Each structure stands twice: as C-alpha cells, then as structure tokens.
Amino acid sequence: MITIEINHFDLRQIAGSGQCFRMNCLKPGLYSAVSRGRYLEISQEGQQFHFHCPDEDYPFWHHYFDLNTDYGAFLSSVKKRDHYLQNAANAGSGIRILNQDAWEMIITFIISQQRTIPKIREAVENLSRLYGEEKHCTFPGGKTVVYFSFPTPAQLKKASLEDLQSLKLGYRARYIHRICLDADNGTLDLNRLSAMGYRDAMEYLLGFYGIGTKVANCICLFGLHHIEAFPVDTWIQQILTNHYYRKKYDALPKSRLYETMVQENFGKYKGYAGVMQQYIFYYERTVLHGRSS
DNA sequence: CAGCAGGTCCTGT
DNA sequence: ACAGGACCTGCT
C-alpha cells in the first residue's frame, strides 16, 4: 500500500464525471478501478490517498489519474467573468482527465450513443466478462478479488454480430463488429493513432463506421489524452444554449452552431478546453440534476 | 403509447 | 453543405 497527499483530486467527482465506466464505489471513500488488465482499490480521506495495489503498479496508476499535471493552474485560469464556469470548476475541482486505453475508449464510446451511463457501464462490464480475461488480485491479509480485463481487438473479434446483438447493443452491434475487423486486419492501427496529434487523430477516427464527431472527441479526450478535445453531447448542448447563447448565433446553420459556441467561449482555454468541458458536464449533470453514476 | 437517452448514417434537396 | 428521418433497446 502506498499513501500520498494530493491536491485537486477527488474520487467521487472523477467516478461521476462520465469519463470512465469501470470505476466503482465500494463504500464511501473507497473505490475500485480496472484498466489495462490491472486492478486497484483506492481510498480517500480529504487530500490523503491510499493506493492498494502491487508496488510495481503504482507508477501506472499515478499516470492513470494524471497526478503529475497541475490542475490548480487550470482552475485558476477560469475567467472571473464566466460565473457558470466558475461554479462548475469549483464544484468539480477534484476532476482529472484520466489516461485510459484508446481501444477501450473506442468501444466504450461507440456503445455510449443514445444510452444512459448506467447502461453503458453494464455493457462494458458484459463485454469484459464474456470476452476479456479473468484475473485475480490477492491483497495482503488474504482477500481475493476476481475481475475481468477489457477485451483486446483479437479477443473481441471472437464475438459474432449475432453475439453482440444478443447483448442488446442494438444498432451499435454493427459498429463494434465492423471496427473489430478493422482493428484486426490493420485498417485501424492503434499504434499509429496513438502517435497522432489531436487534429490528425480526429480525421483518422472519423473515417471509421460508427464514429462521428462526438464519439471521436471522447476518444481523443479520454483515450488519447488530447485534453484540447471538447465533446459536445446533449448535456453540453443544453449548457451552451442556456448559458452561452448570443443573438448572432441564430444566423448559423445547425451543423456549425455548437462548434462556434465552443470556439468563442472555450477557445480561450487553448490546449486544455477539455478540462473545462469536464467541469461543466459534471456540474450540470451531477450537481444540478442529481445524477449520481 | 409517445418520447427520449453521452449519436451516426443515409438520403433528398 | 445542410436538414430530416431511421435506427436498437429500455425506461418513464
């Protein structure tokens, strides 16, 4: 077990920020997480954190939670004039943009289309249980936890279209099936994708069946750590409309409306607008509308 | 029963 | 380019 003290880091906020679907609250202040085949239990008391994992895994989780980045600088850069963002950043000041696996984010956010977060979690867990690897983690003291890694492309390719449809993935089943084939035959090159900058990664991702602008931005933000990415979903659309509307936007075509609003209101946070997106998403959804997971 | 949920694709102008 | 409709499934 490793104990450290960290500012601007809050497990409940991160778990509720909608960026990861394999973090669970075991009891107040204690969370589990699964990523890249590893398992962690982490507890929080104020700014004190206990990492329960093999010592050699600690650097992995330190990077996973993005603990080398100075979020205090992001927070203090919020414009005083923007009261909505001020409130949001204050409410979510412990959020961090996690370093998650790109392939897992591709599948996860394809699944996320037109679904609620609890249903996304359920689907991701089902895929892991059925196509991932069963793993065991034994703690000092003897407690053993069974968990499942998220399936690799080679593992998930074993799922037929019918298999995926039987998991109630609906029209997303076709998207997933197709992209597994692409990942297997090299059309989707994850190593190449990971080496790209934000713009190139967006263009590349948009070429795949089932990935549109919103999902591609989520993959960039949560799976490739391009923190300038700013996904616009229905929640963000509502926020933009309710808090950032200006009359001149009426002249814009719908297809360009939101990207213009994002550019004009969040472009000033150059290179890290995605952090602000997380603050307002979390604030609106969790604090103002009471969604907990 | 209609409407909507972390959208995307396809089609017709 | 742009707008409108279809699409799986489950929940209200």
Side-chain angles (χ1 to χ4, degrees), chain A residues 33-66:
Chain A
V34 178
S35 182
R36 300 185 200 260
R38 294 174 175 83
Y39 178 83
L40 170 74
E41 289 187 6
I42 176 170
S43 60
Q44 173 174 15
E45 302 159 49
Q47 297 174 108
Q48 273 234 47
F49 295 83
H50 302 294
F51 287 70
H52 304 268
C53 64
D55 283 354
E56 66 265 28
D57 282 359
Y58 177 73
F60 170 84
W61 292 111
H62 191 274
H63 176 253
Y64 176 81
F65 287 112
D66 204 27

Side-chain angles (χ1 to χ4, degrees), chain A residues 272-290:
Chain A
Y272 61 97
V275 177
M276 303 300 159
Q277 190 271 8
Q278 281 289 277
Y279 292 148
I280 63 177
F281 179 84
Y282 171 77
Y283 181 59
E284 188 71 25
R285 211 182 141 281
T286 306
V287 180
L288 300 183
H289 291 266

Side-chain angles (χ1 to χ4, degrees), chain A residues 2-15 17 19-20 23 29 31 33 40-51 58 60-72 75 89-99 279 282:
Chain A
I2 287 172
T3 300
I4 56 165
E5 198 167 316
I6 316 168
N7 285 327
H8 309 307
F9 183 34
D10 187 279
L11 300 175
R12 187 177 51 82
Q13 290 173 14
I14 291 170
S17 67
Q19 60 178 307
C20 67
M23 205 172 154
Y31 290 78
L40 170 74
E41 289 187 6
I42 176 170
S43 60
Q44 173 174 15
E45 302 159 49
Q47 297 174 108
Q48 273 234 47
F49 295 83
H50 302 294
F51 287 70
Y58 177 73
F60 170 84
W61 292 111
H62 191 274
H63 176 253
Y64 176 81
F65 287 112
D66 204 27
L67 298 181
N68 276 332
T69 301
D70 178 12
Y71 281 74
L75 290 163
N90 190 49
S93 64
I95 293 173
R96 282 163 184 270
I97 309 296
L98 304 180
N99 284 284
Y279 292 148
Y282 171 77

Side-chain angles (χ1 to χ4, degrees), chain A residues 12 19 98 120 163 171 195-196 202 217 219 225 228 290:
Chain A
R12 187 177 51 82
Q19 60 178 307
L98 304 180
I120 301 166
D163 291 336
Y171 60 83
M196 292 177 185
M202 280 297 291
N217 269 304
I219 295 165
H225 210 70
E228 67 264 55

